[in-house]
Structure formats: structure tokens, C-alpha cells
Amino acid sequence: MELTRRSFLVFALLSVVWALVIIWQAEEHYRVRQAAKADLSNRSRDIANTVSACIRGMRFRGTVAQERLEPVLNELIYGHSNELVKSSQLISIALLNAAGEPVAAAGRPIDFEQHDILQKGERWGRGSVTFVNPVDLGASLSSEFGTNPTVVLPPFRAMTNSMRDIRPPPPPPRREPEDPPAGISPETTVGSNIVARPAGGDREREGPPREGEFRPRRFPWMRGMSEAEYRTLVEKRALHGLVIAMSTETFTAASLRDFWLRAFIGVLASVSAIGSGLAWRNLVKSSDLQIRLVRASEMNTHLKEMNLAAAGLAHETRNPLNIIRGRAQMISKQADAAAEIREKSREIIDEADKVAAQLNEFINYSRPREVRRSVLSLGSVVNEVVRALSYDFEEKQVRLEVRCEQLRIEADERLLRQALFNLLLNSVQAVNSGGQIEVVAEKRNANEALLEVRDTGPGVPPERRTEIFKPYFTTQKTGTGLGLAVVQQIVLAHGWDIECLPNQPGGATFRISHLKLAA
């Protein structure tokens, strides 16, 4: 429970750190985008200030000729000599009147039919951004003509006849400037532009002006215009606003680069968090496995001690058992002993032999298997074991067939004989009278051979073919259940494999594979 709680805390801490890194990168990306937007906005103000300065330089008595203004605007968009132009990525410039209609424009056309184009300070679109009035380009024009803004004269071909026939009068004689009315400066500056003097005009002032009233100034070459034409010209051609459209290519590129950078950092953070979590989980599993290994080692040591104690107990039990068997034999051989006593004595001898056989098998099973390899002939070992069991074959009338190639293998001869002896004895006990047993030894490849013992007994069910090699598991009435377990110990000590397979048409086959051939 304590380990699980600790793992939960570690995973929670990793999740919190990962979340903080992701939030931090998101905020940094947002900051970079805002900085890029601010940079575009600053560039738009620089361009607007440049346009305002150009207008002030070309302005003469409150007017600017459109033929002179539009080339300057085109130079700001398409020119390549100015560093400001090179880095601005300017798309369009439009000078607007009070009604939001373009007076002079250059570059790509701007859609002024959008209802919100003049209501927002900036409008972001796909691939471009539009800035409205980055600087105040001209004074607002009221219905009462409160001030005289900068007027852009239309092209000469677009002027009316009355405008074309007018010639500017000679300049008036120079005189000292009179003091302006209270609250009115000689020149009124709006934003970064200088507008015309609000006082004066083409007519003499009739009495002092009323409070808050300014009379519009009539420009000298417009004195031949009617009042309606003059008002229409000022309404249509007076500068009121400025619209600048700029490309967002650099903004998009900077945002995209920063996004991929933040995404890469986020991926690294995710991989680090996942890797740290997996590392912690593996550490926990390794710690758990180490604890289990320590416990298993302690248990293994305990089992070894128990095994040695059991082997010693079995060895010590054989001595009194042999004494009991000897005394029973003496009683059974006495001439004056009753027949019943002799019968009981022979039963004691038989049971003592059974217990002695079980003790011998147990001692043999508990003995450590130390393999001493040597080069030996597999056929010779098979023939010697067959001769040792010839009496058992004859007694049960079992037909034996041996098919062994001339093979030389590396093995411990004593242990190999014991394993083969136990396999043949198990087959003899399994087959009925008149059954058949085959011993086959053949070469499997250039380096290995196999040994098989086949019988025609009842066979082994599939669900018991792995349990048959466990200690004290037997299907025979007279078996001890340790013979096949000893065989498996010997086989595993040599590095071989043993398996129980079905025999055709019936019976069982015990196959020992991976016997190493001698060079």
C-alpha cells in the first residue's frame, strides 16, 4: 500500500510539472504573437507618420494635388530604396474623407463596403491586416465647417470648367501678423498635421464671430466657385482618415516558427514525463522483484536445508529398517516357528523392501547432480542398459527393438545410464504382457542427436504430460513417483530437453533432444 501511494504521488508530480511546462509554452507563444502584432502596429504608425510628413511637405495653402500625392504613395508601396519600405510589407494605402470614401489610394484595392472596416482600429484577415487611422491625419469636418482640413485637389481632367478658369491672385503685400482671436492660434495642429488658419476668408467678417463659431476659409484659386461647389469639394476631398493594409507574412512566419519551437518543447516535456513515469514504474517493479528474489533465495536456502535434513533422515532410517528386515528373515527361517509367524515375517520383509526402495529413490533424487562430461558411444550405453534389464523384459515377455546409429556424444556416462535405465523401467511397468518397446538413437543435425524410448502401453493423457515429471506423481500402482523426476534432473543438468509425446498407434514416447555430438 505504501509503495502504491508513493507511485501515485510521483505520477501526480510528473503530471503537474508537465502541465506547467505546457501552460508556460502556451503563454510564451501568446506573448510572441502579441509582440509580433505590436511590431506590425508600430510599423503602421511609422508609415502613417511618413505619409503625414509627406502631406505636410507637399501642402500649399491647405491643399495637396492628387497628381503629386499618389506617386509618393506608390513609392511607399513599390519602392525599394527606402529601408522602411523594404521591411514594412505594405500592401495598400488609402486616404479617406469624412464619409469614409477614398480620396487618394495606392496598392491593392481595399474593400470599403465592409460595414466594420472603419469602426475598428485594426482588422485581421487572411494574409493581411488593416489599420484604420494609426495617426490623426486631419481635423474632423462638422456640418458647420468648424475647421479647414487638408484638401486633396482632384486631377486636372476631373476639375469643373469654373475651377479650371480660375487663376490664383497675386500674393498680398507682406504685413505684420495680427493677433488671433482669443483661444485661436495662428495655425491649428491636429495630430501630426498642420491645418489652415480657421480665421479669414474671401469675404470681410460681418461683425465679431459668435462664441464657438468659425467661418470656413476660401482658398484663393477657389474664389470663382459657388458656395455649393465649394462645400461639395471640401466634403468630398478633405482628408479625414487613413487606412493602411499590411501583409502578415512575417507575422505568420514568426508565429509558425515559434509554434513549432513550443510544440517541440512540449513534445520533449511529454516524452520526458512519460519516460520518467515508465522509469519509475520499472524501478518499482525492479524493487519488487529484488524483494521477491531475496525471499525466494531465503526459501531456497531453507528448502536446501530441509532437503539435506530429509536425505539424512532417510539415510539414517535405512539402518533400523535393515535391522527389522534381518530379524524378520531370522524368524521366518526358524524351523520351530509356526506357519503363521513365518507368513507374518515374510510380509514384514516385503514391506521393508518397499520402504527401502522408496528411501533409495528419495536419496537418489535429493543428491546434487554434478555432470562430468566425457566422450562416449551412445549405442554402447544403450546396449549395456538393455542387458541390465533383460530379466525384466523376459519376465514380462516384452519385445525390445533397438535402432541406434553409431553416434558419439558428450555426456556423463553414469548419469546417462541412470536416466535411460529409469525410462526403460518405466516403459516395462507401463506395457502389458507381450507389449513392445523401441529404443531409437539418431542424428538430428550436424551438432545434435536425439534419443527416444517408445512403448505400446496406455499412454499419457495430454493434460498430464507435464505433470508426469513432478516428484511423487505416478500412474503405476507399484511406482514411487521419483523415477521420471530423476530423469528430468539429469536431462536439465546436461542442458538437454525431455518431453512426453504420444506414440502411434498407441502408447507413449519419451524424447531426449539436443544431445551434443562429439567433434
Side-chain angles (χ1 to χ4, degrees):
M1 181 64 69
E2 182 180 357
L3 188 60
T4 303
R5 188 182 301 112
R6 186 184 306 170
S7 299
F8 174 77
L9 292 176
V10 170
F11 292 147
L13 179 60
L14 289 176
S15 301
V16 169
V17 172
W18 174 81
L20 290 177
V21 171
I22 297 300
I23 294 174
W24 172 42
Q25 295 306 313
E27 290 182 350
E28 286 295 315
H29 180 63
Y30 176 78
R31 184 186 61 80
V32 170
R33 286 178 59 89
Q34 294 301 114
K37 287 185 177 181
D39 182 65
L40 274 179
S41 180
N42 293 332
R43 290 183 185 179
S44 69
R45 281 193 288 270
D46 293 340
I47 295 172
N49 289 328
T50 302
V51 172
S52 178
C54 292
I55 292 175
R56 289 197 306 270
M58 292 183 293
R59 176 176 171 142
F60 178 74
R61 294 196 176 184
T63 61
V64 176
Q66 186 171 349
E67 287 90 346
R68 296 183 60 193
L69 180 59
E70 287 187 344
V72 174
L73 299 181
N74 288 322
E75 180 66 20
L76 287 175
I77 294 177
Y78 304 111
H80 299 286
S81 59
N82 194 341
E83 293 296 329
L84 176 64
V85 175
K86 292 181 180 179
S87 61
S88 64
Q89 294 187 338
L90 189 61
I91 297 177
S92 305
I93 299 178
L95 302 176
L96 309 179
N97 58 16
E101 299 172 349
V103 176
R108 191 171 66 187
I110 300 176
D111 185 10
F112 292 97
E113 295 182 359
Q114 300 179 15
H115 66 280
D116 61 343
I117 189 66
L118 299 177
Q119 297 177 1
K120 297 182 179 179
E122 59 186 49
R123 180 180 179 273
W124 291 82
R126 187 172 183 180
S128 64
V129 57
T130 303
F131 296 95
V132 180
N133 289 331
V135 297
D136 191 3
L137 192 61
S140 299
L141 186 64
S142 65
S143 60
E144 292 81 9
F145 292 87
T147 59
N148 283 327
T150 300
V151 177
V152 178
L153 294 179
F156 182 76
R157 61 181 177 274
M159 290 185 179
T160 62
N161 293 329
S162 60
M163 294 172 60
R164 293 178 182 177
D165 295 337
I166 296 173
R167 297 290 182 269
R174 185 174 181 180
R175 60 182 180 178
E176 293 297 328
E178 298 179 356
D179 293 334
I184 304 300
S185 60
E187 290 185 343
T188 303
T189 302
V190 181
S192 59
N193 303 280
I194 302 176
V195 300
R197 295 173 183 265
D202 58 335
R203 292 179 298 181
E204 293 295 331
R205 185 181 308 165
E206 297 177 358
R210 295 188 296 269
E211 184 179 358
E213 178 187 4
F214 295 97
R215 294 188 177 132
R217 177 179 179 178
R218 184 69 64 91
F219 302 107
W221 46 79
M222 297 180 184
R223 292 179 181 178
M225 297 175 60
S226 65
E227 186 70 17
E229 287 179 338
Y230 170 72
R231 288 177 175 273
T232 301
L233 177 64
V234 174
E235 288 178 357
K236 296 295 184 181
R237 309 298 296 182
L239 295 184
H240 175 74
L242 172 66
V243 176
I244 295 176
M246 300 179 64
S247 173
T248 57
E249 182 180 353
T250 56
F251 167 76
T252 304
S255 299
L256 191 60
R257 285 195 304 270
D258 185 75
F259 171 77
W260 286 117
L261 175 62
R262 307 300 173 184
F264 180 70
I265 296 175
V267 170
L268 288 181
S270 302
V271 172
S272 300
I274 294 174
S276 300
L278 293 177
W280 174 260
R281 189 183 67 173
N282 292 335
L283 179 62
V284 171
K285 287 185 177 181
S286 299
S287 301
D288 186 42
L289 288 177
Q290 288 180 355
I291 293 174
R292 292 184 180 182
L293 286 176
V294 171
R295 293 177 180 175
S297 178
E298 294 176 355
M299 183 63 69
N300 190 24
T301 303
H302 179 69
L303 290 177
K304 286 182 179 180
E305 294 174 355
M306 292 292 294
N307 190 21
L308 293 176
L313 179 62
H315 186 271
E316 295 298 328
T317 304
R318 286 192 306 180
N319 294 331
L321 187 62
N322 290 332
I323 294 175
I324 294 173
R325 185 178 186 280
R327 294 297 175 88
Q329 284 181 343
M330 291 176 58
I331 294 173
S332 64
K333 291 179 181 179
Q334 289 180 357
D336 56 348
E340 184 179 1
I341 294 178
R342 291 180 180 179
E343 183 66 23
K344 298 294 183 182
S345 298
R346 284 193 292 271
E347 291 179 1
I348 293 174
I349 293 173
D350 293 339
E351 295 298 328
D353 290 339
K354 291 180 181 180
V355 175
Q358 292 180 355
L359 290 176
N360 291 332
E361 289 287 346
F362 177 77
I363 294 172
N364 188 25
Y365 176 75
S366 60
R367 184 181 298 120
R369 305 297 174 184
E370 296 181 2
V371 179
R372 298 177 181 177
R373 300 177 185 271
S374 62
V375 178
L376 51 91
S377 174
L378 182 58
S380 300
V381 175
V382 171
N383 293 330
E384 291 179 4
V385 175
V386 167
R387 283 195 298 269
L389 291 172
S390 59
Y391 176 77
D392 297 273
F393 295 145
E394 294 175 0
E395 183 180 12
K396 208 167 185 179
Q397 298 178 357
V398 175
R399 298 191 305 274
L400 179 66
E401 183 180 355
V402 179
R403 292 181 294 168
C404 292
E405 299 180 8
Q406 297 297 325
L407 301 175
R408 296 176 64 81
I409 63 173
E410 296 179 2
D412 189 312
E413 185 176 0
R414 180 182 61 83
L415 296 179
L416 179 60
R417 286 182 181 179
Q418 183 178 0
L420 185 57
F421 182 89
N422 289 351
L423 288 177
L424 287 174
L425 184 61
N426 180 73
S427 298
V428 170
Q429 294 174 355
V431 299
N432 297 324
S433 179
Q436 183 177 356
I437 298 177
E438 291 182 280
V439 179
V440 179
E442 59 186 11
K443 186 177 181 180
R444 193 166 190 177
N445 52 48
N447 300 319
E448 296 179 354
L450 60 84
L451 176 64
E452 291 184 349
V453 177
R454 308 170 184 171
D455 61 63
T456 57
V460 181
E463 63 274 7
R464 292 189 173 183
R465 287 174 187 167
T466 55
E467 297 179 355
I468 198 171
F469 296 103
K470 294 181 179 180
Y472 299 108
F473 181 86
T474 180
T475 58
Q476 306 296 331
K477 295 181 180 180
T478 59
T480 60
L482 291 174
L484 294 179
V486 172
V487 173
Q488 188 183 42
Q489 278 189 341
I490 295 173
V491 169
L492 295 180
H494 281 82
W496 305 334
D497 289 334
I498 185 170
E499 54 185 340
C500 179
L501 303 172
N503 189 25
Q504 300 297 333
T509 298
F510 291 90
R511 176 184 295 170
I512 300 177
S513 56
H514 303 298
L515 280 75
K516 186 178 180 181
L517 294 173

